[in-house]
Amino acid sequence: MSCSEDHTESVDCTVKPPVFLQIGDTKGDSARSGVCVVDVTLPYGKPINIEKITFKNYYTAYVTVRLLRRKAEKEGSTKWCTALTDLALMDNPHTDGGSQNYFSIHRRQMQVQPDHVESIRLILRQPSSAWRIFSLEDIRLFPHKELAPEKEVSDWLSDLIVVKQPPDLEGLPDPQTVSSSIQQMWALTEVMQANRTTASIGRFDVDGCYDINLLSLT
Amino acid sequence: MADKEKRRSAAVPSGMSAGKATKSDSDVEFLSQAGVGELLRGAILKMVEARSDDPIGFLADHFCNLASVTDSSPAGCGDEEQMNGGPVSACAQEQQHLNRALWHLRLAHHSQRSAFSNNVRVAYDLLNISACQRGGVRGGLYTQTLQCLCSEGGVPASTSAPLLRRLHCQDHEVVPYDVFRHGVLTCAVFSDYIRQSQKLYAEVCCPHEGPASRALCMAVLGTLKEALETSTGCEPDSIRYLEASAKISPNRLAQAMEGAQSRGPGGNMDAKEFENAAADLFITRVKVVF
């Protein structure tokens, strides 16, 4: 299940119990409409940018994802928008193909950018009368991580490309010869460092005078 | 050399006094008896290994060394050693071992890896003999070896003093092979390094203007320092080398020198100060022996 490529942790979120929509005001043994809403809320004050949503299906045929997004970073109003409409989880609502599969919805699949999201509403639909109980299990949200900046290997590589000629070398020693000498000196220092030894002469080793048995003999 | 020649004549090979009559036959016999073939083969092998610039001088040194080897063996003991007794002869013998060890260490340059390692091993075994069952070289002897190496390499005593402080061992301490090798190699490399820094100073200072400008010297040494301080991190060594060498490329040096000219500190830096500053960059990276 958690085979995410970058091994990110899912964020803490609260999955509310599913609410089955009903027609009319009847209680008890009412006709199921085949529509169910699951709300997933994030802790207050901690909107996230969603990388992906993963869940395990339980006989849901279609799912619609709606997001409550905050306009700007901190201030601004929140607005609901639809990220995904009627994503088919089962090939045929009456048969059980895909009924217990694991799914993952990536941000690339969504119609809007899932950034600064505070709450998610999953609308589950199961039109078939064969499956009266349906839901999604183990819903997890994974935050979007910014790609780490490229290592600065290229910085010094680009330095090697001469962009401009140093204008005035009057009275200065020839950089080629100076550079060659410095390179030799650097190489000699590296040779010395590479040949360090871990051996020691044991100057500070004690010869067992601090054995606990001897100390206790006072 | 005169006393050695005197001793040589005393230890005459036994076969010599007999049969001078049959010259042609006994020539071959004589050569094989004296073991000349082995002698010459050994000499040529050593010469190939050392690749010295002065073959005649090298061979002279080699045979002189061999002569002192056979002289100091118990069979060829001279009168002086027997007369003076224990401590003095031990000291003289130690000095002799030291000289021979230094001769071996001078044979190959440290860049000739395997030859140099072999010579270090031979030198260590030589010095180990005089330490009488201690399982290593006496600290004082080891320190003396390092001092001789530095001074023979052309490093002034004041410049090599900080290095020796890091590497030296006390007289009562016993030096194992690894530490000995590390010390000897460091001194050999340091001599080259100082020679190189002297050459660098000559390049940096314009001959007709006297001592070099302080700003220029600091800039040049600054680039070396920067290259040496290239962080190791978790990069593979090859990337670290590339990055360091990019910092001491001719372009970077030209930029540094040009920058120094316009905004560096004033005044001059003489050769001694430059040498000490360069030596400092090296010595701070030497691991202290403990």
Side-chain angles (χ1 to χ4, degrees):
Chain A
M1 177 68 183
S2 42
C3 52
S4 47
E5 302 96 351
D6 45 352
H7 303 285
T8 45
E9 293 287 317
S10 56
V11 289
D12 286 329
C13 52
T14 320
V15 180
K16 301 235 173 84
V19 174
F20 285 88
L21 300 189
Q22 287 164 345
I23 304 165
D25 195 26
T26 51
K27 290 186 191 170
D29 190 32
S30 56
R32 301 275 185 151
S33 60
V35 183
C36 155
V37 177
V38 176
D39 271 328
V40 181
T41 50
L42 289 159
Y44 179 70
K46 288 189 194 167
I48 66 160
N49 305 339
I50 297 176
E51 175 77 9
K52 61 183 177 185
I53 306 171
T54 58
F55 51 83
K56 182 175 186 284
N57 188 14
Y58 188 76
Y59 293 96
T60 307
Y62 308 99
V63 69
T64 299
V65 179
R66 277 173 66 80
L67 307 171
L68 180 65
R69 294 189 302 172
R70 187 164 286 280
K71 273 275 172 59
E73 186 62 50
K74 291 281 180 194
E75 303 304 320
S77 55
T78 55
K79 195 164 181 285
W80 281 103
C81 54
T82 307
L84 209 56
T85 312
D86 279 340
L87 177 72
L89 304 180
M90 289 164 67
D91 298 331
N92 186 334
H94 300 289
T95 59
D96 62 359
S99 56
Q100 295 186 59
N101 283 4
Y102 293 91
F103 286 91
S104 161
I105 302 174
H106 199 271
R107 63 187 277 131
R108 283 191 296 265
Q109 294 168 267
M110 300 185 191
Q111 292 159 4
V112 295
Q113 289 275 46
D115 292 330
H116 312 306
V117 173
E118 292 191 355
S119 187
I120 298 158
R121 182 167 285 166
L122 299 164
I123 302 171
L124 318 182
R125 291 206 301 116
Q126 179 47 277
S128 169
S129 54
W131 317 111
R132 300 191 67 199
I133 301 174
F134 55 95
S135 66
L136 296 181
E137 293 166 2
D138 196 21
I139 302 172
R140 292 194 201 179
L141 305 174
F142 290 88
H144 176 60
K145 287 250 161 70
E146 283 301 322
L147 284 173
E150 293 260 329
K151 275 202 173 174
E152 298 100 27
V153 170
S154 48
D155 282 349
W156 51 265
L157 267 182
S158 59
D159 274 349
L160 291 176
I161 303 166
V162 179
V163 179
K164 60 180 195 310
Q165 290 295 331
D168 188 14
L169 285 179
E170 294 255 346
L172 287 178
D174 178 25
Q176 296 279 354
T177 45
V178 172
S179 167
S180 143
S181 291
I182 295 253
Q183 283 170 29
Q184 300 253 13
M185 288 165 76
W186 175 81
L188 285 168
T189 315
E190 283 294 321
V191 164
M192 180 273 294
Q193 285 186 244
N195 276 289
R196 280 189 185 142
T197 175
T198 49
S200 79
I201 53 174
R203 186 175 287 165
F204 303 120
D205 289 349
V206 293
D207 59 348
C209 294
Y210 297 118
D211 266 352
I212 197 72
N213 297 326
L214 291 174
L215 284 175
S216 67
L217 283 177
T218 48
Chain B
M1 280 291 274
D3 53 338
K4 292 206 171 80
E5 283 176 24
K6 204 168 62 177
R7 284 197 207 128
R8 277 278 125 216
S9 59
V12 157
S14 50
M16 190 66 168
S17 47
K20 276 194 186 167
T22 49
K23 258 205 164 177
S24 49
D25 283 342
S26 69
D27 277 352
V28 175
E29 262 181 38
F30 162 68
L31 284 177
S32 61
Q33 248 180 346
V36 172
E38 283 306 313
L39 266 178
L40 288 177
R41 186 179 310 143
I44 292 176
L45 278 176
K46 272 278 169 187
M47 195 156 84
V48 166
E49 207 179 79
R51 292 186 190 269
S52 145
D53 290 329
D54 175 25
I56 295 180
F58 177 83
L59 285 171
D61 279 338
H62 174 73
F63 287 116
C64 186
N65 195 51
L66 269 185
S68 63
V69 169
T70 49
D71 278 349
S72 63
S73 63
C77 231
D79 287 341
E80 298 106 320
E81 288 178 5
Q82 278 173 346
M83 273 192 332
N84 289 348
V88 177
S89 74
C91 184
Q93 206 175 40
E94 224 178 47
Q95 283 306 307
Q96 215 172 38
H97 287 306
L98 179 64
N99 288 332
R100 277 162 47 200
L102 285 169
W103 182 83
H104 279 281
L105 289 173
R106 262 180 259 136
L107 281 180
H109 190 253
H110 65 82
S111 58
Q112 297 164 274
R113 238 356 116 70
S114 51
F116 186 77
S117 293
N118 287 341
N119 294 337
V120 172
R121 188 80 229 183
V122 170
Y124 181 78
D125 290 337
L126 271 171
L127 294 174
N128 207 352
I129 294 172
S130 59
C132 53
Q133 305 122 15
R134 289 174 85 168
V137 171
R138 191 169 62 83
L141 206 52
Y142 158 77
T143 307
Q144 242 187 322
T145 312
L146 297 185
Q147 279 166 346
C148 293
L149 276 176
C150 283
S151 63
E152 280 172 14
V155 181
S158 56
T159 314
S160 62
L163 177 69
L164 289 172
R165 269 200 292 278
R166 286 199 175 216
L167 292 177
H168 83 306
C169 286
Q170 303 292 338
D171 204 34
H172 62 271
E173 289 168 333
V174 170
V175 180
Y177 174 69
D178 280 335
V179 175
F180 180 83
R181 182 176 181 274
H182 170 66
V184 164
L185 181 63
T186 305
C187 285
V189 170
F190 186 65
S191 325
D192 279 354
Y193 181 89
I194 291 295
R195 260 199 300 275
Q196 201 56 242
S197 77
Q198 288 165 349
K199 184 165 159 253
L200 177 64
Y201 183 78
E203 282 162 11
V204 166
C205 76
C206 308
H208 52 274
E209 281 176 23
S213 94
R214 175 170 294 269
L216 206 52
C217 292
M218 307 270 289
V220 164
L221 286 177
T223 58
L224 177 59
K225 185 160 181 249
E226 232 180 77
L228 287 172
E229 282 171 359
T230 309
S231 62
T232 51
C234 46
E235 303 158 342
D237 270 343
S238 44
I239 292 196
R240 187 166 63 87
Y241 292 157
L242 282 176
E243 201 173 332
S245 50
K247 294 182 182 163
I248 47 180
S249 66
N251 281 321
R252 285 288 278 264
L253 271 169
Q255 280 171 16
M257 290 196 293
E258 193 211 352
Q261 217 182 23
S262 48
R263 56 177 180 269
N268 291 330
M269 190 186 275
D270 66 354
K272 188 71 199 153
E273 203 185 332
F274 186 85
E275 195 177 285
N276 286 341
D280 190 55
L281 286 176
F282 184 96
I283 295 173
T284 46
R285 280 166 182 82
V286 174
K287 186 174 158 233
V288 177
V289 168
F290 65 95

